[in-house]
Amino acid sequence: MQVSIACTEQNLRSRSSEDRLCGPRPGPGGGSGPKARAALVPRPPAPAGALRESTGRGTGMKYRNLGKSGLRVSCLGLGTWVTFGSQISDETAEDVLTVAYEHGVNLFDTAEVYAAGKAERTLGNILKSKGWRRSSYVITTKIFWGGQAETERGLSRKHIIEEIVRAMTYVINQGLALYWGTSRWGAAEIMEAYSMARQFNLIPPVCEQAEHHLFQREKVEMQLPELYHKIGVGSVTWYPLPCGLITSKYDGRVPDTCRASIKGYQWLKDKVQSEDGKKQQAKVMDLLPVAHQLGCTVAQLAIAWCLRSEGVSSVLLGVSSAEQLIEHLGALQVLSQLTPQTVMEIDGLLGNKPHSKK
């Protein structure tokens, strides 16, 4: 389980320099279990000159409310898992972030555990150097797996605060955050947090970050829409292409340039080469005619398919180059072509549409 907050520089001052989103400044001052997801972003310095900023106008980007809150986020966000501080150079990361921002993306997601903290610092350093208006973008980061010591992990009062709902309410009331949400929580757990917030006059979560793609459908399509209608919790989904599995690039093998070949990701290689992985790749090949009919790639089709789900506020993309990002952003044009007939055709090819157990 995870929890989310959006914080300003004031909150970062209480953290050690190595933990800050921007990394050290000169001069003086994964696993399982509950986690927390938080947006920890320092305010950039005032710009010296004109900035090339995007308001989303003319980019084709679509915006949706984060759940039923008033916060507007781009329907496609940028994730930093595996890439920032690890798979790609800082220069490439800056190119990716710049292209995303200039194309209307205003939601950037990271976590304290990504690249052992390097992803947070890389993202923070880029934002600091860009000097974009702080109010023009949203950052989320996930808290649970911190350092190696027992006191640096989890949600204890030492690492954050033990009682999650009270902790998030305190952070927001202190002016350090605007909203909070969960990640990888079950529907019953989210409802419990909401009920507690209502009972004790606390602030409830507004979103859940969940895995969702062509082969992982139950939670986002069957459980979360009910929460969206009942208590206003929206979805920010991740893994739309499960590390490139839904791109037809594997085709029975694992290229040297893909994530499955990175040191420490043997589990992904095993997944791709497993029987289930091979069956899923066969299903991806079955989708090629549909993609060709719509004039798009399978990846664009898969991303657009994720965007069609009710209550989904944003889909997080993970890319290793600006060119790959631009291709994936093309999913926005595909979304309008996903007619009910096309969706039914895709469901027929996949054969895994979830059904209500009622």
Side-chain angles (χ1 to χ4, degrees):
M1 298 191 298
Q2 308 189 26
V3 194
S4 315
I5 52 177
C7 302
T8 65
E9 188 173 5
Q10 181 180 357
N11 177 261
L12 295 181
R13 293 195 185 109
S14 66
R15 307 180 70 188
S16 69
S17 61
E18 290 187 355
D19 288 336
R20 290 177 184 167
L21 192 63
C22 273
R25 296 186 183 183
S32 62
K35 299 180 286 180
R37 164 172 163 256
L40 307 170
V41 188
R43 291 184 179 274
L51 294 173
R52 185 178 180 185
E53 294 193 352
S54 172
T55 60
R57 299 189 186 96
T59 66
M61 181 58 66
K62 308 296 182 184
Y63 297 88
R64 299 173 177 178
N65 286 53
L66 184 61
K68 292 190 177 180
S69 75
L71 181 61
R72 299 284 284 176
V73 295
S74 52
C75 68
L76 292 177
L78 180 66
T80 61
W81 179 58
V82 182
T83 52
F84 280 42
S86 178
Q87 183 184 15
I88 62 178
S89 66
D90 290 355
E91 291 75 16
T92 300
E94 182 173 354
D95 289 342
V96 168
L97 195 68
T98 302
V99 168
Y101 187 74
E102 291 178 350
H103 281 75
V105 175
N106 73 358
L107 176 61
F108 307 114
D109 181 75
T110 186
E112 64 176 353
V113 73
Y114 293 171
K118 292 180 181 178
E120 279 190 329
R121 294 194 291 272
T122 298
L123 177 60
N125 285 330
I126 295 172
L127 291 171
K128 182 180 179 182
S129 68
K130 287 295 181 181
W132 293 326
R133 285 175 294 109
R134 178 61 187 88
S135 59
S136 66
Y137 56 84
V138 177
I139 305 294
T140 57
T141 189
K142 292 167 285 294
I143 297 173
F144 180 77
W145 294 297
Q148 298 301 312
E150 287 297 314
T151 56
E152 296 173 333
R153 295 194 299 266
L155 296 177
S156 69
R157 292 181 183 272
K158 173 71 174 176
H159 191 51
I160 176 171
I161 301 180
E162 188 173 5
E163 176 46 64
I164 296 173
V165 180
R166 291 188 183 279
M168 297 305 107
T169 299
Y170 173 81
V171 168
I172 292 173
N173 287 340
Q174 291 296 308
L176 306 178
L178 299 176
Y179 306 92
W180 76 276
T182 60
S183 181
R184 303 180 74 174
W185 282 34
E189 294 162 332
I190 297 172
M191 182 59 77
E192 183 179 354
Y194 177 86
S195 299
M196 178 181 179
R198 288 295 180 237
Q199 181 179 358
F200 297 105
N201 196 29
L202 303 173
I203 299 174
V206 298
C207 68
E208 156 66 8
Q209 193 181 88
E211 179 181 355
H212 183 226
H213 50 77
L214 293 169
F215 304 112
Q216 182 81 303
R217 306 181 55 174
E218 178 76 23
K219 181 176 181 179
V220 171
E221 296 180 42
M222 299 302 298
Q223 300 175 20
L224 295 184
E226 183 177 3
L227 291 182
Y228 175 71
H229 288 293
K230 284 185 175 180
I231 61 176
V233 171
S235 306
V236 174
T237 68
W238 50 278
Y239 224 36
L241 304 176
C243 284
L245 178 65
I246 306 176
T247 59
S248 71
K249 72 178 181 182
Y250 289 111
D251 193 20
R253 61 186 182 87
V254 179
D256 294 336
T257 56
C258 73
R259 294 183 180 182
S261 297
I262 299 176
K263 183 179 180 180
Y265 288 85
Q266 179 64 39
W267 60 269
L268 177 57
K269 187 174 184 178
D270 293 341
K271 182 177 181 179
V272 171
Q273 296 177 332
S274 68
E275 286 303 314
D276 284 343
K278 292 176 181 178
K279 290 179 181 178
Q280 291 175 357
Q281 290 173 64
K283 294 289 186 181
V284 171
M285 300 306 293
D286 290 341
L287 293 175
L288 280 173
V290 179
H292 291 160
Q293 183 180 358
L294 298 178
C296 66
T297 65
V298 173
Q300 291 171 332
L301 176 63
I303 294 168
W305 179 89
C306 291
L307 284 170
R308 102 224 179 277
S309 295
E310 185 180 29
V312 170
S313 301
S314 186
V315 173
L316 299 176
L317 306 176
V319 301
S320 56
S321 69
E323 292 75 19
Q324 188 180 37
L325 174 62
I326 291 174
E327 181 212 334
H328 290 179
L329 291 175
L332 293 172
Q333 282 67 53
V334 182
L335 181 59
S336 61
Q337 302 179 62
L338 286 184
T339 63
Q341 292 75 18
T342 302
V343 173
M344 286 180 61
E345 182 179 358
I346 294 173
D347 284 338
L349 292 171
L350 295 175
N352 63 355
K353 181 179 180 179
H355 296 281
S356 175
K357 297 181 176 61
K358 294 181 180 180

